[in-house]
Amino acid sequence: MSIFLPELKYGLDKLEPFLSQRALDFHYGKHFVNYINAANALIKDTEFDNMSLRAIVKNSDGALFNNAAQVLNHEIFFNSMAPQETAMPESVRDLVLGSFNSAEELKEQIFKSATAHFGSGWTWLVYDAATGKLEIRNTGNAANPITEGLVVLLGLDLWEHSYYLDYQNRRADYVKGFLEHIDWSYAERHYVRALTR
Ligand code: MN
C-alpha cells in the first residue's frame, strides 16, 4: 500500500492573506510531497508496506519514523485550518470549558506554547482519554503525541518552512493567523472518534 497525498479541502489561495498561495504551493506541493515520496521509498518491500500511516508512525523509528510522522503531521495541520474559523461544535465547546476557563484562554495557551517552542517542531491540541481533558503539547522535529497514546485534535506546524515565505522571523504573527483559521469541526471528528473507540 502506498501513502497518498491527501486532497486539500480548500484552494491553495483560500487561506490568503494569512498564508499566501505561493507559500502553500511550496508547503503542500513540495515539502509535504517530499515526505510522502521519502516514506513510500522506505516502506517499499518491508513489513510496513501493508500498515496504515498511523500504525507506521507508532511502530517505526529513524528515517521512516521521521518521514511517515511528517506525512501524518502535515495531514493534520492542513486539515486543522479553514478559510474562515468554523463555529465550535457543542461537544468541543464543553470539552474546552472543562479544561480551560474559556476558548480565549485555550487560544492564549496555544499562542504561548507555539511562540515559546525552540526550533523545528509542532504545537498540538490533544485529548487525553485517561483524564477526559484537553492539553497543549509541543513536540520537536517530527514527533507526534499519538505515540504517547494521546488523541490529536489539532496541529500547528512550527517548522520555518511553514511561515518563512510570508512571515520571515515573525512566528508570533503566523501563530495569530492560525488561531483565526481553525477548523473546529476537524477537532470534533477526532474527539468523537476517540469517544466511540
Ligand atoms: Mn511543514
Side-chain angles (χ1 to χ4, degrees):
M1 201 183 76
S2 294
I3 298 166
F4 293 102
L5 178 69
E7 215 174 300
L8 259 195
K9 60 189 180 183
Y10 39 79
L12 286 171
D13 60 339
K14 291 295 185 273
L15 297 182
E16 290 189 342
F18 157 49
L19 292 174
S20 68
Q21 175 163 1
R22 180 162 180 266
L24 272 203
D25 238 345
F26 275 100
H27 200 182
Y28 175 80
K30 299 271 195 288
H31 289 281
F32 195 2
V33 168
N34 283 343
Y35 291 127
I36 290 169
N37 291 342
N40 277 327
L42 290 166
I43 61 172
K44 195 170 184 289
D45 302 324
T46 72
E47 78 263 33
F48 295 102
D49 210 6
N50 292 315
M51 285 188 197
S52 70
L53 179 60
R54 281 168 188 264
I56 296 172
V57 170
K58 285 178 184 168
N59 292 290
S60 63
D61 54 21
L64 177 55
F65 172 80
N66 286 336
N67 284 284
Q70 281 292 76
V71 175
L72 177 62
N73 297 347
H74 282 85
E75 187 183 314
I76 294 167
F77 170 64
F78 285 113
N79 277 301
S80 295
M81 300 181 289
Q84 268 142 17
E85 182 176 6
T86 63
M88 203 181 261
E90 217 175 294
S91 63
V92 174
R93 182 163 293 280
D94 289 347
L95 182 61
V96 167
L97 296 180
S99 312
F100 299 89
N101 290 323
S102 64
E104 290 65 39
E105 199 216 322
L106 164 63
K107 284 188 172 185
E108 271 168 39
Q109 296 296 332
I110 293 174
F111 179 82
K112 275 189 196 156
S113 205
T115 51
H117 182 74
F118 187 81
S120 293
W122 298 80
T123 291
W124 308 97
L125 178 63
V126 301
Y127 171 68
D128 185 347
T131 62
K133 298 225 187 237
L134 288 174
E135 281 174 33
I136 295 158
R137 288 287 177 97
N138 283 350
T139 60
N141 299 319
N144 184 307
I146 68 161
T147 60
E148 298 165 55
L150 296 164
V151 179
V152 171
L153 304 188
L154 295 172
L156 169 57
D157 194 344
L158 300 177
W159 286 58
E160 281 186 347
H161 70 229
S162 64
Y163 59 88
Y164 211 82
L165 280 179
D166 290 326
Y167 295 91
Q168 295 79 48
N169 60 321
R170 291 173 285 116
R171 182 191 282 181
D173 291 340
Y174 159 72
V175 174
K176 263 183 221 158
F178 174 81
L179 293 171
E180 291 166 0
H181 290 81
I182 293 177
D183 185 355
W184 292 106
S185 60
Y186 177 73
E188 183 194 38
R189 245 189 343 270
H190 287 281
Y191 175 49
V192 169
R193 199 175 299 161
L195 290 181
T196 54
R197 225 170 14 213

